[in-house]
Amino acid sequence: MWELDLLLIPFLEHCYDGLAAEDQAAYRALIEGEDQDLFAWLMQRETPAPEFRRIVSRIQAHAENADNDPRRPV
């Protein structure tokens, strides 16, 4: 899903290497999930599964900061 790529790829490029091993593992597990679940969680339409709450929150925080990616569409 293209919309997920707009959130997940910049986070991967800018933040993944700096994450703790536990958060890296959560990110890898998260992206193996169903697109519709990820979309609902990242768009704050549903509460993420407990094991993904921390990483989803970090991805959302990164996405809300417009200064994170100069290629980000307006």
Side-chain angles (χ1 to χ4, degrees), residues 23-61:
D23 289 332
Q24 287 181 352
Y27 182 88
R28 290 190 308 270
L30 178 74
I31 63 172
E32 293 295 322
E34 296 292 327
D35 283 356
Q36 58 268 26
D37 292 334
L38 274 64
F39 187 77
W41 296 341
L42 291 167
M43 296 295 111
Q44 300 177 2
R45 294 182 180 166
E46 294 180 13
T47 302
E51 64 271 25
F52 297 124
R53 287 184 185 150
R54 178 178 163 85
I55 195 66
V56 166
S57 177
R58 294 190 72 164
I59 294 167
Q60 290 167 333

